[in-house]
Amino acid sequence: MSEAGLHDSPREQDVPIQTPAEGRSYLAAGSSLRSWLLTTDHKRIAVLYLVTITLFFAIAAFAAALIRLELLTPKGDLLSAEGYNRAFTVHGVVMVWFFLIPSIPNVFGNFLIPLMIGARDLAFPRLNLASWYIFVFGGLFTLAMLAFGGVDTGWTFYTPLSSTYANGNVVLALTAVFIAGWSSILTGINFIVTIHKLRAPGMTWGRLPLFVWTHYATALILVLATPVLTVTLLLVMAERVLGLGIFDPALGGDPLLFQHLFWFYSHPAVYIMVLPAMGVVSELVTAAAHRKLFGYWFVAYSALGIALVGFLVWGHHMFVAGQGMYASAAFSFLSLVVAIPSAIKVYNWTATLYKGSIALNAAFLFAMGFIGLFVMGGLTGLMLAMLAIDVHVHDTYFVVAHFHYIMVGGAVTAFLGAVHYWWPKMFGRMYNEGWGSISAGFIFIGFNLTFFPQFLLGYAGMPRRYHEYPPEFQTLQVLSSSGASLLALGYGLPLIYLLYSLRHGEPAPPNPWHAAGLEWTVPSPPPTHNFEQPPIVTYDAYDYPEDGEP
């Protein structure tokens, strides 16, 4: 790659692309299993994460299918009460800690951050590989927990149920999440050091892609919040195994202490899932509109604002747990405040699209799906931040619907948008855009059909985590299960046409979307060491022509 091309703004000329010699792409660096399992290439490690979390997504989705089949009828005629508890626990544990949290950071953060900042790799390549092995090791404990019959505590592991009364598989589940937490901490450290130390000459903080900004904020949460969870789970195991009185009142412990510690991590963990998704959508919106993102610094600082305020709102999960009135009022106010930086992003994405030259491709449709579902989840989150409403709908399906609109409707839709946007860069093949658009449509319609009825169920008073319910709720439950079938079809289609594209897809050019960014100046798939020469950046992020044309 010529150094001169990298000096020039893409508004003045296209950055010249140098096609690597045969066998120089990261995919062609060695095809043996050993070469993959011992790799320190950030791109290959990203692919390993992609394969691993896809398998865990399938496990969580199967558990969700059992839940929706059980709820087709008011009577518990498919699963017993204990079996139903185990199904939603498996669904929650696997989906949250082995898909939602690692999905975008560990796959696309790993693959793209060095490319986006002009680095040859992450700061600690061996640590990066170690984090994947730690993640897999934690996953093996999850599989062992499933093999021995699962657990029935719910994914939140509330004490004293988890520390004293539930079955012995709880220790396996707690160990799995404990180990996975260390993988997250190592990944966060790697991202922080990489972004601080390995940026290319000229890649100032004001020229960083917003994808990098959101991953930087996410890494801060990973490093600061995850140790709280790991210590908390260790205390639960100590109480269960050693009989120490930490959380169980019968032993002199305090169960509310567990809730404070758990939610101090778990509410920031919501932003571990959402912030990377916001970074993805920022990239997709600017590429589709071919315009510089409106209010770049507002969006960048709002990511840091979300990370900061996210540490101060855990108490809104405890409005009905005996928390003091003034503490609840303070947490309610802070929960409303955290919506401001999220709203800034939505407004700025909308302003970016205004009068843009919109490219209607599958990735953009996923981005629009994210915005619609995230806004719905955010508005209902504001409702739950208000004491009077939260007391009424606490522990009902209203909370289930809100959570899924944010986590699944938001994070998973953004993940699929990232897959479709960067698939040609990762694997050097184009996929069928028509099927991608159909999948995006199925997911958006199926998701709303699945979870919007649950808002109505919750407001009408149906509690969550019940496998039997009054017959008057059956119509909405059947509607929800029907939507889940359409949603499953939308999730399954990409697996077919994307895998098909690996063998039969058209070869991808370096920049199929005419997008800005250093990752689009290298071949598809990229060379092992990313750049032939260290790039020197002299232009701002998203430096598109003023008229919005590619």
Side-chain angles (χ1 to χ4, degrees):
M1 179 182 301
S2 70
E3 184 175 331
L6 284 168
H7 280 237
D8 293 325
S9 165
R11 288 173 57 178
E12 298 169 1
Q13 69 177 68
D14 292 331
V15 177
I17 304 299
Q18 203 175 68
T19 303
E22 185 67 27
R24 287 181 59 198
S25 82
Y26 81 97
L27 291 174
S31 58
S32 67
L33 182 61
R34 184 176 185 273
S35 70
W36 279 88
L37 295 180
L38 297 180
T39 184
T40 55
D41 185 348
H42 67 101
K43 298 179 291 298
R44 286 195 161 206
I45 294 171
V47 174
L48 292 174
Y49 268 116
L50 179 62
V51 173
T52 308
I53 68 167
T54 300
L55 294 176
F56 283 116
F57 180 84
I59 294 172
F62 177 75
L66 290 178
I67 294 169
R68 291 317 318 168
L69 287 172
E70 169 58 53
L71 293 173
L72 279 171
T73 59
K75 297 296 182 182
D77 45 16
L78 176 64
L79 300 172
S80 65
E82 184 180 8
Y84 184 78
N85 288 350
R86 295 185 181 197
F88 71 68
T89 300
V90 168
H91 172 67
V93 169
V94 176
M95 186 66 84
V96 170
W97 278 294
F98 292 92
F99 179 79
L100 290 174
I101 285 177
S103 59
I104 296 178
N106 292 36
V107 176
F108 295 101
N110 251 314
F111 193 94
L112 293 168
I113 287 176
L115 288 168
M116 285 183 165
I117 67 173
R120 294 169 67 87
D121 208 315
L122 291 175
F124 307 115
R126 290 185 178 87
L127 192 68
N128 194 23
L129 179 62
S131 70
W132 178 75
Y133 274 107
I134 293 170
F135 178 78
V136 172
F137 188 51
L140 293 177
F141 275 89
T142 303
L143 297 178
M145 176 264 292
L146 293 174
F148 287 110
V151 295
D152 57 359
T153 62
W155 69 274
T156 54
F157 300 116
Y158 269 15
T159 58
L161 177 61
S162 61
S163 63
T164 305
Y165 302 108
N167 63 39
N169 296 331
V170 171
V171 174
L172 287 174
L174 293 171
T175 303
V177 178
F178 176 84
I179 294 172
W182 283 102
S183 174
S184 296
I185 293 170
L186 297 181
T187 298
I189 292 171
N190 221 341
F191 285 176
I192 291 171
V193 176
T194 300
I195 295 169
H196 270 277
K197 295 296 185 180
L198 299 186
R199 301 194 310 275
M203 180 61 77
T204 62
W205 288 95
R207 291 173 175 169
L208 285 177
L210 288 163
F211 181 91
V212 179
W213 271 104
T214 55
H215 276 74
Y216 182 75
T218 302
L220 293 175
I221 299 174
L222 287 171
V223 171
L224 296 176
T226 309
V228 177
L229 175 70
T230 57
V231 171
T232 303
L233 298 181
L234 194 62
L235 291 175
V236 175
M237 288 188 278
E239 179 166 279
R240 186 175 185 93
V241 175
L242 302 176
L244 302 180
I246 303 170
F247 304 117
D248 186 353
L251 300 174
D254 182 2
L256 286 184
L257 174 61
F258 174 84
Q259 292 191 38
H260 279 291
L261 293 173
F262 180 85
W263 288 115
F264 181 81
Y265 160 80
S266 293
H267 197 84
V270 171
Y271 303 113
I272 294 174
M273 308 174 211
V274 170
L275 275 170
M278 291 175 166
V280 168
V281 173
S282 296
E283 301 298 320
L284 302 190
V285 164
T286 56
H290 288 94
R291 297 184 66 197
K292 185 173 183 177
L293 193 78
F294 180 84
Y296 170 92
W297 281 111
F298 283 98
V299 179
Y301 285 140
S302 70
L304 298 178
I306 289 173
L308 173 63
V309 182
F311 279 98
L312 306 176
V313 300
W314 80 89
H316 75 228
H317 295 274
M318 302 173 61
F319 284 159
V320 299
Q323 184 173 254
M325 178 180 66
Y326 294 110
S328 293
F331 282 121
S332 176
F333 172 76
L334 290 169
S335 299
L336 297 174
V337 170
V338 79
I340 296 173
S342 298
I344 287 173
K345 293 181 182 295
V346 175
Y347 290 137
N348 285 31
W349 292 331
T350 305
T352 303
L353 293 172
Y354 178 67
K355 291 188 177 181
S357 177
I358 308 298
L360 285 176
N361 52 41
F364 176 70
L365 293 178
F366 279 109
M368 292 298 97
F370 167 89
I371 294 174
L373 298 176
F374 178 76
V375 167
M376 174 64 76
L379 291 174
T380 53
L382 293 176
M383 296 172 66
L384 290 172
M386 300 178 184
L387 283 164
I389 296 177
D390 186 86
V391 170
H392 174 61
V393 300
H394 188 81
D395 262 344
T396 70
Y397 266 79
F398 193 97
V399 178
V400 175
H402 158 72
F403 183 87
H404 281 81
Y405 263 91
I406 294 289
M407 296 297 94
V408 181
V412 178
T413 303
F415 174 78
L416 289 172
V419 169
H420 287 75
Y421 185 60
W422 283 293
W423 184 268
K425 179 58 60 181
M426 294 179 73
F427 298 104
R429 296 286 180 174
M430 302 299 294
Y431 54 86
N432 187 296
E433 276 285 341
W435 282 112
S437 300
I438 291 172
S439 173
F442 278 160
I443 289 172
F444 186 77
I445 296 170
F447 187 90
N448 282 287
L449 191 59
T450 301
F451 291 103
F452 190 82
Q454 295 181 17
F455 283 125
L456 305 179
L457 284 167
Y459 197 78
M462 179 171 175
R464 59 180 175 176
R465 300 180 177 178
Y466 278 57
H467 79 308
E468 294 184 356
Y469 56 87
E472 56 265 29
F473 291 145
Q474 184 175 13
T475 300
L476 290 172
Q477 290 285 14
V478 170
L479 191 62
S480 185
S481 293
S482 301
S485 302
L486 191 61
L487 187 61
L489 179 61
Y491 285 148
L493 277 175
L495 190 64
I496 298 172
Y497 61 77
L498 290 176
L499 291 178
Y500 180 84
S501 74
L502 292 178
R503 182 175 292 272
H504 302 285
E506 293 289 329
N511 191 358
W513 317 119
H514 304 288
L518 285 179
E519 77 269 29
W520 301 111
T521 67
V522 299
S524 301
T528 299
H529 298 298
N530 297 343
F531 300 95
E532 293 298 314
Q533 300 175 16
I536 300 176
V537 181
T538 59
Y539 49 86
D540 292 336
Y542 315 115
D543 199 15
Y544 288 102
E546 290 295 338
D547 58 6
E549 294 297 329

